[in-house]
Amino acid sequence: MTKEQDIKNAVEVLRKGGVILYPTDTVWGIGCDATNAEAVKRVYEIKQRDDSKALICLVDSDARLQRYVRQVPDVAWQLIDSLQEGDVKPTTIILDGAVNLAPNLIADDGSIALRITNEPFSKELCYRFQKALVSTSANISGEPAAQNYCDIAPELIEKVDYVCWSRRQEHKPHQPSSIIRLRQNGEVEIIRK
């Protein structure tokens, strides 16, 4: 299967409210339409995760990121620019004032965790889907994240609606993203290095 066909299949499933397994710029992810509350609920159920723990979303560009945050602070743009310049570990940014997303995806304090992906497959998937995509590690909550497709538990594969073909043969180390919390007042907090 070509990468283009794989992305087309995944987008079709996402548009119908389905849940997918897909390779990201970090570990393999469980994904769904970040604006669809029912799909988000299914992701929490599949992961056996308490829905009070927020999920990360992937977007393909800073323009798309702006659609999901009421006001992006200047420090966030500086950080995003610096992350896109070099060979930097993928970094998720938690921002206040989440908008236009499924309510069960937004943390109790109104924040959302977003990451702009530069990895070719997930970037193209987000671009073709034209919305934010939930991106939580492909594992049962509390278990190790699936670095490669071969690490994904069979029960997870059975519970989703589509499993992407791209990068399934890969066997190399991947790790979760760094997470940085940015507040409107410019305060910066490193959550995960």
Side-chain angles (χ1 to χ4, degrees):
M1 180 182 305
T2 65
K3 181 174 104 172
E4 289 71 26
Q5 187 60 50
D6 199 14
I7 287 171
K8 186 178 175 198
N9 293 349
V11 167
E12 207 170 284
V13 169
L14 292 166
R15 287 202 175 121
K16 292 177 182 167
V19 175
I20 66 169
L21 284 172
Y22 68 108
T24 75
D25 54 341
T26 59
V27 296
W28 268 71
I30 302 174
C32 72
D33 178 349
T35 67
N36 182 325
E38 278 304 307
V40 171
K41 182 177 175 221
R42 270 193 65 212
V43 170
Y44 280 116
E45 289 167 356
I46 289 168
K47 273 190 77 80
Q48 298 171 26
R49 183 173 178 167
D50 181 352
D51 67 6
S52 68
K53 293 184 176 177
L55 302 173
I56 291 170
C57 294
L58 276 190
V59 292
D60 63 315
S61 65
D62 49 10
R64 187 125 23 238
L65 179 135
Q66 283 183 278
R67 292 184 189 177
Y68 302 110
V69 179
R70 198 168 282 115
Q71 183 183 352
V72 180
D74 289 340
V75 67
W77 292 125
Q78 293 164 10
L79 180 62
I80 289 165
D81 288 345
S82 70
L83 292 172
Q84 292 178 334
E85 283 171 8
D87 186 26
V88 182
K89 180 179 179 184
T91 302
T92 300
I93 303 171
I94 300 174
L95 296 166
D96 293 326
V99 291
N100 304 320
L101 292 162
N104 54 346
L105 193 56
I106 299 169
D108 291 342
D109 64 2
S111 66
I112 188 66
L114 291 160
R115 186 168 73 248
I116 299 171
T117 178
N118 288 312
E119 182 275 325
F121 184 85
S122 55
K123 188 174 186 80
E124 182 75 8
L125 178 61
C126 290
Y127 175 74
R128 296 280 170 213
F129 186 50
Q130 295 284 297
K131 291 183 192 177
L133 193 59
V134 165
S135 181
T136 183
S137 56
N139 61 319
I140 302 294
S141 196
E143 298 289 318
Q147 293 185 36
N148 296 286
Y149 173 75
C150 62
D151 302 323
I152 301 171
E155 68 253 36
L156 279 185
I157 293 170
E158 291 167 17
K159 290 179 180 175
V160 301
D161 304 301
Y162 184 73
V163 182
C164 291
W165 286 92
S166 298
R167 292 180 47 204
R168 279 196 193 185
Q169 304 308 317
E170 206 170 79
H171 292 283
K172 60 184 187 182
H174 295 279
Q175 53 187 328
S177 68
S178 297
I179 301 178
I180 297 174
R181 171 80 200 239
L182 298 179
R183 299 196 187 274
Q184 284 297 337
N185 65 4
E187 188 182 308
V188 177
E189 178 188 358
I190 295 171
I191 307 286
R192 181 170 71 196
K193 284 190 177 191

